[in-house]
Amino acid sequence: MVKSTEIRSYPVIQELSKALADYVAELSREAVSVRNRFTVGLSGGSLPRILAAELKNRQDIDWDKWIVFFCDERLVSLASEDSNYKLAKEELFDHVPIPEANIYTVDESLIANAEEAANDYQDKLISVFAAMNTAKFPVFDLLLLGMGPDGHTCSLFPDEKYAEVLNEPVAWVTFVEDSPKPPPRRITFPLTVLNHAHNVAFVVTGEGKKNVLHKVIDLHDTTYPAALVKPVNGKLIWFLDDAASASLDGLKK
Ligand SMILES: O=C(O)[C@H](O)[C@@H](O)[C@H](O)[C@H](O)COP(=O)(O)O
């Protein structure tokens, strides 16, 4: 059972960014006090910018305790405009003192082979998590996710042909080679990894998301991968702006 689901909606993105920064800072503080580190998974899209806008100015965070992975990554060079790492670097890493060694990127030398890239990324996860917990999956302190207008999250897409990737039962990292959204080749955490985290936060903004949010949150329509994100022992929270939350049953004005 998911411990709890919370929905927060803000009139403007700047307010959302501020609340998100407070939330992340608090989770970081808690994780560092209990485990002496903060393990976090980032996504691409608008998330890095919305996350970093306020967070990058915070002085009250033990940045040196952060350990960062990517919930999904496009198989492109790290310098490419398509790289989730590059985006996160420009928005966040260039502004805060997270040790470079604590930021786990896809191995550029393996991007031609999606399976090898996924296996290598899984090895990196194992090196960080295996000693720490005995769960069958890594237990992140926080995973930060976006959601596309088609209900996808990470590189988990809503079509029967991606069901194997979505429901990958064993691997900690899997891959797609024919993503419906370019670039086609990506690695991604499967659902099981998302659902083992202590905390999962979706950050979703804009009117273009309001219909799918209604289907995901109110109707629990599991044809949308985002609706399947339900941390078994963790907390799920949605950070929305009012444009995105406009059609939600509980929040309709
Ligand atoms: O890999 C990708 O193609 C994108 O990163 C994608 O997964 C994005 O995270 C969502 O579509 C939400 O993006 P927005 O928040 O920008 O709408």
Side-chain angles (χ1 to χ4, degrees):
M1 274 297 279
V2 56
K3 260 195 202 159
S4 69
T5 303
E6 192 183 331
I7 300 167
R8 300 189 192 175
S9 185
Y10 302 89
V12 291
I13 293 183
Q14 201 185 358
E15 277 182 46
L16 191 167
S17 289
K18 169 91 179 56
L20 185 61
D22 288 343
Y23 164 81
V24 173
E26 179 58 27
L27 288 184
S28 170
R29 214 175 357 260
E30 274 173 26
V32 171
S33 74
V34 178
R35 290 180 280 280
N36 199 31
R37 64 182 184 179
F38 182 52
T39 50
V40 55
L42 298 180
S43 302
S46 59
L47 177 91
R49 186 174 36 80
I50 296 173
L51 171 71
E54 295 287 336
L55 194 67
K56 67 184 176 192
N57 302 317
R58 299 286 293 242
Q59 310 288 325
D60 59 336
I61 290 178
D62 288 324
W63 293 109
D64 58 322
K65 303 288 186 190
W66 278 44
I67 296 177
V68 180
F69 281 87
F70 289 86
C71 300
D72 72 323
E73 180 58 288
R74 291 103 170 259
L75 291 174
V76 295
S77 97
L78 297 177
S80 161
E81 292 302 322
D82 280 335
S83 159
N84 286 345
Y85 163 74
K86 179 164 192 266
L87 192 60
K89 179 177 183 306
E90 288 172 355
E91 297 292 346
L92 185 64
F93 308 150
D94 283 349
H95 308 278
V96 298
I98 301 173
E100 223 176 285
N102 291 3
I103 299 170
Y104 289 85
T105 62
V106 69
D107 183 336
E108 274 185 303
S109 72
L110 300 177
I111 58 178
N113 184 324
E115 188 168 5
E116 273 185 38
N119 288 342
D120 177 75
Y121 206 61
Q122 172 174 274
D123 288 345
K124 289 175 174 161
L125 268 178
I126 289 172
S127 74
V128 168
F129 282 92
M132 186 182 164
N133 50 52
T134 51
K136 273 160 76 189
F137 291 95
V139 180
F140 276 88
D141 292 311
L142 174 64
L143 296 177
L144 287 157
L145 307 181
M147 184 185 74
D150 60 353
H152 86 265
T153 188
C154 302
S155 287
L156 304 172
F157 293 97
D159 187 297
E160 193 49 36
K161 72 175 178 171
Y162 303 109
E164 261 183 47
V165 176
L166 180 72
N167 298 314
E168 163 57 45
V170 178
W172 294 13
V173 183
T174 183
F175 61 95
V176 289
E177 297 190 286
D178 58 349
S179 153
K181 203 183 159 191
R185 304 170 59 261
R186 292 131 176 269
I187 59 170
T188 184
F189 290 166
L191 208 49
T192 39
V193 169
L194 307 185
N195 284 340
H196 276 79
H198 290 301
N199 296 280
V200 177
F202 275 99
V203 177
V204 182
T205 59
E207 206 198 336
K209 305 285 174 66
K210 72 177 186 186
N211 292 336
V212 70
L213 269 177
H214 170 63
K215 290 178 183 156
V216 166
I217 294 179
D218 295 327
L219 307 182
H220 310 288
D221 183 339
T222 54
T223 53
Y224 300 101
L228 293 163
V229 178
K230 293 182 177 141
V232 281
N233 234 334
K235 293 184 190 156
L236 175 64
I237 180 163
W238 292 83
F239 283 89
L240 310 175
D241 69 351
D242 289 352
S245 69
S247 294
L248 290 184
D249 289 343
L251 295 171
K252 270 182 200 153
K253 305 209 169 77

